[in-house]
Amino acid sequence: MKNIGVVVLSLLLAPATYAQVPLKSATPAEQKIAWAEAAIKAHPDRSQPYNELAVGCVNRVRETADSSYYDQAETAIRKSLELTPDNLEGQKARVMILVGRGAFARALDLAKALNKKTPDDVLLYGFIADAAIELGEYADAETAVQWMLDLRPGNVPALLRGASLRRLYGDTGGAMLFFSQAYQQMPPTQVEDLAWTLTQMADLQLSVGHIDDSEGLLRSALQNFPGYYQARETLARVQTARQHYSEAVELLRQRNQSFPTTASRYALAEALERAGQTADANSAYKEFETSARRTINSADNANEELIFYYLARGHNAAEGLRIARIEIAKRHDVGTLDAYAWALYANARYDEAQKQIAKALAVGVRDAALLYHAGAIAESLKDGSAATRFLKASLELNPSSETAGAAREALEKLAPATAEARHTQ
């Protein structure tokens, strides 16, 4: 659920009106960058081409995971605002960069300020929703998406954000419907947008144990946009669900050949461990830890992965809790609440853990790992009935989840105690 990002950026601003550069093999973002650069060359005193260049660079990050494009985007926006201070399109591009780099609080403040000045701009509501979702301000996000739909019924950016919210609220069917409606409206030339949406749908299907459906969607995504790193990451999780661990390793190795992220390094380390490649896994975990620790206090971090690493393979529950407290001070989204609750649990702070996991569950989210955590926390508080309920719900939701084995073991241990409790009532 982490980092939804700026959704379908290439659909947010109309294509440049300048003469198109003939780039038949270029991606949509590369084309947009080329159009903008040509326009800057022709009209270096106009701000809008720099705005277009910035948006193209942000789009390129999503195509490649190469975060250096954010630096290029920021340079372009500085020039745009130098030429035309406070121009709206330039400020909107600034919000995109902030969201992309994980500076969600700053992005939300700027988006809200711009929204007050221009309350009929649909996409500003979308940026409010993006940042609010990441911060766990779900009511604000829902209000913003509703404004988008009221102003322009059925628009793609609103449908995609609505799908994300429906998933968070536990409405899998509604989320799939919104994703499908958005997908059907996307131009066939927007290959990354199509692949991204199919990947989101695949991730949703995988979360409820529909492995074959998920794989089919991912194969389609890779046909639309060959080599797409997000699709490969999710396909590796499909292979993990099938217990095809060597295949998962190969997919993640392919994914990490170009612009690996800290999170993708962690995914590879986990896959190597499951595949029994212990030496390589240990090396990959060390590489992940070194990389992740550099950005603990940065907006764009891998703290959620780092927390779970320390709680399990890093054998440092205290450090996991310390990092979780850094994150919970900044955001209260479902993923952060879950990580914080699990860190409290690992440090034997069971009452506090229960309070945090209850906040996550109150959103309505249906997630197998979160439900397993809720069950384990309930069991630690000697609430066998609640523990059994949560653990069963986790397995019913997704019997092939990464926590399914642990949930089954916990249920087996609980079964005699639960039966005895019922007998004595």
Side-chain angles (χ1 to χ4, degrees):
M1 239 91 59
K2 189 176 179 180
N3 199 12
I4 295 171
V6 181
V7 181
V8 192
L9 292 174
S10 56
L11 296 174
L12 297 183
L13 296 178
T17 56
Y18 334 108
Q20 294 186 10
V21 176
L23 293 171
K24 291 183 179 179
S25 61
T27 68
E30 288 174 325
Q31 290 180 16
K32 193 173 188 69
I33 290 170
W35 292 333
E37 288 176 338
I40 289 169
K41 186 175 181 179
H43 304 287
D45 57 340
R46 296 181 183 177
S47 60
Q48 185 56 21
Y50 293 98
N51 298 335
E52 297 280 0
L53 177 58
V55 173
C57 288
V58 176
N59 289 354
R60 189 65 177 145
V61 176
R62 207 177 73 171
E63 288 184 349
T64 65
D66 181 0
S67 61
S68 70
Y69 279 101
Y70 285 132
D71 296 331
Q72 297 179 48
E74 289 183 343
T75 298
I77 289 306
R78 282 196 295 271
K79 183 62 177 179
S80 167
L81 296 174
E82 176 186 316
L83 290 168
T84 312
D86 295 325
N87 75 83
L88 179 60
E89 297 306 315
Q91 295 284 24
K92 286 162 69 174
R94 279 185 62 200
V95 179
M96 295 180 193
I97 296 166
L98 289 169
V99 171
R101 286 196 139 158
F104 303 119
R106 289 173 59 198
L108 185 58
D109 288 344
L110 179 55
K112 285 184 173 181
L114 295 171
N115 175 252
K116 286 183 179 180
K117 295 179 181 179
T118 316
D120 59 347
D121 189 300
V122 172
L123 296 174
L124 285 174
Y125 288 105
F127 299 149
I128 290 171
D130 289 336
I133 287 171
E134 295 292 348
L135 292 169
E137 305 291 342
Y138 299 127
D140 284 353
E142 186 174 6
T143 298
V145 172
Q146 189 59 59
W147 270 107
M148 295 177 78
L149 291 168
D150 290 343
L151 289 167
R152 194 189 304 165
N155 71 86
V156 169
L159 288 171
L160 291 172
R161 290 166 172 86
S164 296
L165 282 169
R166 286 194 169 194
R167 178 176 183 175
L168 284 163
Y169 293 156
D171 182 5
T172 301
M176 285 298 294
L177 177 62
F178 270 29
F179 276 130
S180 179
Q181 289 175 346
Y183 179 83
Q184 291 169 23
Q185 294 184 56
M186 292 177 183
T189 55
Q190 299 299 330
V191 291
E192 193 274 340
D193 293 333
L194 293 165
W196 183 90
T197 305
L198 288 168
T199 301
Q200 299 305 305
M201 295 168 74
D203 182 70
L204 181 55
Q205 292 287 6
L206 183 59
S207 74
V208 293
H210 298 167
I211 300 174
D212 291 341
D213 291 340
S214 180
E215 182 170 1
L217 289 163
L218 292 167
R219 299 297 181 191
S220 295
L222 289 166
Q223 285 179 350
N224 276 285
F225 199 49
Y228 188 41
Y229 73 95
Q230 292 199 43
R232 278 181 171 165
E233 286 179 11
T234 308
L235 191 56
R237 291 173 49 230
V238 167
Q239 297 295 1
T240 297
R242 296 190 191 282
Q243 299 183 17
H244 296 170
Y245 303 128
S246 295
E247 289 87 341
V249 167
E250 181 57 29
L251 282 163
L252 288 165
R253 286 194 188 281
Q254 292 173 7
R255 180 263 173 270
N256 284 352
Q257 286 177 357
S258 300
F259 310 112
T261 63
T262 308
S264 72
R265 290 190 179 100
Y266 184 59
L268 176 59
E270 288 187 307
L272 287 164
E273 183 179 40
R274 294 189 186 99
Q277 300 180 39
T278 306
D280 286 347
N282 290 339
S283 177
Y285 277 127
K286 287 182 180 178
E287 184 180 0
F288 156 76
E289 182 182 10
T290 299
S291 176
R293 289 198 65 83
R294 294 194 195 105
T295 61
I296 285 176
N297 295 305
S298 301
D300 187 12
N301 59 57
N303 283 353
E304 190 171 312
E305 291 83 2
L306 193 56
I307 292 164
F308 285 111
Y309 165 73
Y310 280 126
L311 299 184
R313 297 153 191 90
H315 305 295
N316 192 340
E319 180 65 0
L321 181 56
R322 185 185 75 84
I323 298 168
R325 284 180 168 147
I326 291 172
E327 283 300 287
I328 204 68
K330 297 183 292 186
R331 56 194 293 187
H332 296 84
D333 61 295
V334 163
T336 303
L337 286 167
D338 179 36
Y340 184 38
W342 200 234
L344 288 164
Y345 167 83
N347 284 271
R349 297 174 178 269
Y350 304 131
D351 288 325
E352 295 174 71
Q354 197 280 329
K355 291 176 183 176
Q356 298 303 320
I357 205 76
K359 291 178 184 178
L361 291 167
V363 175
V365 65
R366 302 282 293 165
D367 177 80
L370 190 149
L371 288 166
Y372 162 67
H373 293 161
I377 291 167
E379 191 278 332
S380 70
L381 292 170
K382 310 303 181 184
D383 189 346
S385 177
T388 299
R389 184 173 70 255
F390 286 129
L391 293 169
K392 285 184 175 179
S394 176
L395 290 169
E396 288 170 2
L397 178 68
N398 187 357
S400 59
S401 77
E402 294 179 7
T403 56
R408 290 189 184 96
E409 289 181 12
L411 268 176
E412 289 174 3
K413 291 178 181 178
L414 275 170
T418 305
E420 182 179 348
R422 289 175 180 170
H423 181 72
T424 58
Q425 285 179 353

